[in-house]
Amino acid sequence: GAGVSQSPSNKVTEKGKDVELRCDPISGHTALYWYRQRLGQGLEFLIYFQGNSAPDKSGLPSDRFSAERTGESVSTLTIQRTQQEDSAVYLCASSLEGRFSNQPQHFGDGTRLSIL
Amino acid sequence: GQNIDQPTEMTATEGAIVQINCTYQTSGFNGLFWYQQHAGEAPTFLSYNVLDGLEEKGRFSSFLSRSKGYSYLLLKELQMKDSASYLCAVTNAGKSTFGDGTTLTVKP
């Protein structure tokens, strides 16, 4: 079956522009995660959706960042007024169930965002 | 707070055994995952530990000691394709905190 799909795979934009990143999780996966990975660094947690529960937004670095998810399907991560420090790979992952679960996360290939 | 430590880099020889350590201090703990990430690719799941002890999966094994806040990933019979970054991640209430990863280079 299909894995986690992210689009676009690459995005180059000018500082100050807004960008929207999309994630299609694996069908049936109730948990969805967004991470940021800067070059040579680990994964930085951004936000976590679990079913219809309120999302855990504790990792969003500023109010320029927001994310939405419709039910248990597609999610979009929006970055407003982009800054050069936003340049990174943004990874989306999904799992069968998040809370108290031993289900591994399945990652998409990421969106490589470059801010000029 | 959450703090996860892994060595930044390791080098080993093809056919050998290597142990990658991970220590953590976290405010909660449900389990610990290990992921492999090749350069420019997405992380992929390797192993999961929730109870103390060793979990073996083919050439890869992972160990956990919750009282010590310590885990290791053991890779046996190293192959060139094992050159990658290995990420330790602690989960609590659905949220995973990742270490910065250990870049393993396997040499002939």
Side-chain angles (χ1 to χ4, degrees):
Chain A
V4 177
S5 177
Q6 291 188 245
S7 61
S9 55
N10 285 282
K11 177 72 175 178
V12 181
T13 192
E14 294 179 347
K15 177 182 171 181
K17 300 287 188 182
D18 297 352
V19 295
E20 188 173 279
L21 312 180
R22 177 187 169 105
C23 173
D24 279 277
I26 293 172
S27 178
H29 281 195
T30 61
L32 186 146
Y33 310 79
W34 283 98
Y35 297 94
R36 178 168 68 180
Q37 187 173 33
R38 293 196 167 103
L39 189 63
Q41 297 187 16
L43 275 64
E44 177 187 358
F45 168 79
L46 298 177
I47 189 168
Y48 157 54
F49 296 90
Q50 173 57 56
N52 294 318
S53 302
D56 180 342
K57 303 180 181 180
S58 59
L60 295 178
S62 77
D63 59 8
R64 296 187 296 106
F65 288 72
S66 62
E68 293 184 351
R69 186 182 187 193
T70 306
E72 294 182 355
S73 61
V74 171
S75 175
T76 55
L77 175 69
T78 302
I79 308 174
Q80 295 178 309
R81 306 181 301 281
T82 51
Q83 304 292 315
Q84 287 187 331
E85 66 259 27
D86 299 335
S87 295
V89 175
Y90 289 81
L91 288 164
C92 175
S94 69
S95 68
L96 274 172
E97 200 277 337
R99 203 171 295 117
F100 310 119
S101 170
N102 65 348
Q103 296 299 320
Q105 295 179 30
H106 299 262
F107 287 83
D109 288 336
T111 293
R112 186 174 301 277
L113 178 63
S114 300
I115 309 300
L116 303 178
Chain B
Q2 315 284 80
N3 188 42
I4 299 178
D5 290 313
Q6 305 179 234
T8 303
E9 296 179 337
M10 298 184 71
T11 302
T13 304
E14 190 176 15
I17 299 172
V18 71
Q19 177 174 312
I20 301 174
N21 296 324
C22 170
T23 58
Y24 62 90
Q25 299 94 38
T26 57
S27 56
F29 180 89
N30 288 140
L32 187 145
F33 287 88
W34 283 94
Y35 290 86
Q36 179 190 59
Q37 186 177 28
H38 285 100
E41 298 182 11
T44 55
F45 167 74
L46 286 179
S47 69
Y48 174 75
N49 293 74
V50 62
L51 300 175
D52 291 353
L54 190 67
E55 293 283 340
E56 297 188 76
K57 290 178 68 175
R59 293 191 298 117
F60 293 2
S61 303
S62 58
F63 172 84
L64 175 67
S65 169
R66 289 170 296 171
S67 62
K68 295 182 179 177
Y70 168 68
S71 174
Y72 67 72
L73 180 69
L74 192 71
L75 292 75
K76 303 176 185 176
E77 300 168 16
L78 280 173
Q79 302 175 9
M80 300 298 291
K81 67 178 182 179
D82 297 330
S83 291
S85 182
Y86 291 85
L87 306 172
C88 169
V90 172
T91 62
N92 179 41
K95 192 165 79 175
S96 290
T97 302
F98 282 78
D100 285 342
T102 298
T103 299
L104 173 66
T105 301
V106 180
K107 296 186 174 180

